[in-house]
Amino acid sequence: MEITDIRNEIDCIDDQLKSLFEQRMHQVLEMAKYKEEHSLPVLNASREREVLARVTEGQDDEMAGYTKVLFTSLFDLSRAYQSRSLYQNSALVQRVQEAMAGTPPLFPKSAVVACQGIEGSNSQLACDRLFSRPNIMYFSGFDAVFTAVNKGLCRYGILPIENSLWGSVGEVYDLMRRNHFHIVKSIKVKIEHALLAKSGTELADIREIVSHEQALGQCSAFLKTLPNVKITACDNTATAAKLVAESQRTDLAAIASADCGALYNLVSLSDEIALSDHNYTRFICIAKEMEIYPGADKISIMFTVPHRPGSLYGVISKFSALGVNLNKLESRPIPGKDFEFMFYADFEAELHDQTALNLLAQLEVSAEKFVFLGNYSEK
């Protein structure tokens, strides 16, 4: 046979497959109606196993493997189609729609905002870029920022969530699991570190360097060139700069921004200390109530799945089935539970799109625990 003949045969088979697929999805929709009337769940794992056993019977191992992949994909699409019908008016979908309707068209220029650290911190820089006239309240720890927002002391809070060089801020992710909040905006801030000390101090004089653990990690290669220098972590880079400025020591330095140096009257001993010039930290702006502003195109969620094979795949497959781009998936261990994890995911979607709402509804019912964190835009 010529290649055109083979292609013609495949085209004929594809046309039959398309027709049969449409018939199958029609029956899937009928099944969704039946399940809704009888309060049955979308997933029927035993039924899927029965189908896989039937369709692979008599096949050799290689072909059975391909058949399993094909029908597993069909199951994913079928569940997505059923869920679209069953959960399009879920409680979460209604809350999201109410938030979209009740959110003003423009993000506020002024608000009371909680930031971790002190004046000169990177959180303050992120806050000033998000708000034209913020009223900033400073707190010593990330947990206090969550508390201030949850108790209504501040309308918003600014928190670092990940760095391009040093990864996620684990403490913030762990606090996210324990607090009720919503992400309303995010921003990427370029981080530029310098080694700061009092005027007249030389690099050879330094015996101790203080900074936040993330900043220390982002400058780890430089610090390895100073084997006799003590490295001490503190709450914040700005706090480190202030500590050096207020200390009587002349052998103490801080890793912080050049702005901090100007603020606390320190000089830079070196400004080429980071692992890379491409050093960005992503900050999230959180609120107690759900706010979804026009142009929001990023969604963040948290979820857990049962500790058994295929559970995570069952959630992730829904993104593929609906053509949604999942651009981050991270896990954190759940304290007190062996080898069980809370997953954090970011994906590109706008909840003004019904497909995204359908996906959200499906994820809520398919995950063991599900938390919608927010739909927002990033600067």
Side-chain angles (χ1 to χ4, degrees):
M1 294 178 67
E2 297 293 331
I3 190 170
T4 53
D5 297 324
I6 298 172
R7 285 174 174 167
N8 288 335
E9 286 291 328
I10 291 175
D11 287 344
C12 289
I13 294 170
D14 286 344
D15 290 341
Q16 295 176 57
L17 285 173
K18 183 186 82 168
S19 177
L20 290 170
F21 178 70
E22 289 175 351
Q23 294 177 47
R24 191 183 195 282
M25 293 299 273
H26 177 74
Q27 292 304 314
V28 163
L29 196 56
E30 292 298 313
M31 180 63 75
K33 295 175 183 176
Y34 180 89
K35 288 180 176 178
E36 184 174 24
E37 292 171 358
H38 294 81
S39 300
L40 297 174
V42 169
L43 175 62
N44 187 336
S46 62
R47 165 64 177 166
E48 292 184 2
R49 284 193 294 271
E50 290 172 6
V51 173
L52 288 176
R54 176 172 56 80
V55 297
T56 58
E57 186 177 1
Q59 292 184 316
D60 60 49
D61 288 342
E62 182 180 21
M63 188 54 65
Y66 289 123
T67 301
K68 180 180 179 180
V69 171
L70 171 63
F71 275 82
T72 299
S73 297
L74 278 175
F75 296 154
D76 292 337
L77 293 170
S78 297
R79 288 196 298 270
Y81 199 43
Q82 287 188 41
S83 298
R84 176 178 177 274
S85 172
L86 289 173
Y87 305 121
Q88 59 184 344
N89 293 315
S90 71
L92 175 58
V93 169
Q94 291 178 16
R95 284 175 46 226
V96 166
Q97 291 173 330
E98 289 171 0
M100 288 190 291
T103 302
L106 296 176
F107 191 69
K109 295 181 181 296
S110 177
V112 180
V113 185
C115 288
Q116 187 267 345
I118 60 175
E119 191 74 19
S121 67
N122 289 315
S123 292
Q124 177 236 307
L125 177 61
C127 182
D128 284 340
R129 287 185 55 186
L130 281 172
F131 299 90
S132 299
R133 303 181 306 277
N135 180 6
I136 301 177
M137 297 184 66
Y138 291 105
F139 296 88
S140 59
F142 296 137
D143 56 340
V145 173
F146 279 103
T147 300
V149 173
N150 283 333
K151 289 187 174 181
L153 184 63
C154 299
R155 180 177 174 182
Y156 298 110
I158 303 292
L159 294 158
I161 193 169
E162 62 181 325
N163 177 263
S164 57
L165 296 182
W166 206 242
S168 298
V169 184
E171 182 184 352
V172 173
Y173 272 96
D174 291 338
L175 288 166
M176 286 167 63
R177 179 175 51 83
R178 302 198 296 267
N179 288 275
H180 172 76
F181 71 99
H182 295 91
I183 302 174
V184 297
K185 284 281 185 181
S186 70
I187 186 170
K188 287 182 179 177
V189 175
K190 192 174 192 306
I191 305 299
E192 297 178 329
H193 292 306
L195 185 65
L196 306 177
K198 289 185 174 182
S199 179
T201 304
E202 301 291 336
L203 181 59
D205 300 330
I206 302 303
R207 293 293 175 265
E208 183 177 4
I209 294 174
V210 293
S211 193
H212 187 267
E213 60 180 358
Q214 280 268 330
L216 295 173
Q218 293 158 26
C219 302
S220 56
F222 169 76
L223 294 175
K224 287 179 181 178
T225 67
L226 307 171
N228 298 319
V229 174
K230 180 182 177 182
I231 308 301
T232 303
C234 64
D235 292 339
N236 188 273
T237 55
T239 301
K242 185 179 180 183
L243 177 66
V244 172
E246 295 177 348
S247 172
Q248 299 302 313
R249 294 171 56 182
T250 58
D251 63 349
L252 184 65
I255 292 177
S257 68
D259 289 342
C260 273
L263 182 64
Y264 294 106
N265 197 29
L266 301 175
V267 297
S268 174
L269 303 183
S270 177
D271 56 7
E272 296 181 355
I273 61 175
L275 293 171
S276 169
D277 289 336
H278 190 77
N279 184 11
Y280 290 85
T281 294
R282 180 178 168 226
F283 291 84
I284 54 174
C285 178
I286 65 170
K288 184 176 183 180
E289 304 301 329
M290 190 186 303
E291 300 176 11
I292 303 176
Y293 290 90
D297 57 2
K298 190 168 191 172
I299 294 175
S300 293
I301 59 174
M302 294 188 298
F303 63 92
T304 61
V305 293
H307 188 45
R308 60 172 180 261
S311 295
L312 180 58
Y313 170 77
V315 173
I316 300 305
S317 64
K318 299 184 188 307
F319 293 90
S320 177
L322 293 176
V324 174
N325 182 32
L326 178 65
N327 49 26
K328 178 174 182 177
L329 180 64
E330 180 154 343
S331 64
R332 296 286 298 176
I334 300 174
K337 295 188 177 182
D338 292 338
F339 304 107
E340 293 191 37
F341 299 86
M342 174 73 79
F343 293 91
Y344 303 82
D346 294 337
F347 56 97
E348 298 171 2
E350 298 181 23
L351 290 177
H352 293 278
D353 180 0
Q354 188 62 44
T355 299
L357 281 172
N358 292 337
L359 173 60
L360 210 60
Q362 292 175 47
L363 292 170
E364 183 183 26
V365 298
S366 60
E368 190 173 54
K369 178 181 179 181
F370 179 83
V371 180
F372 169 70
L373 297 177
N375 183 203
Y376 55 96
S377 61
E378 183 167 281
K379 293 181 67 175

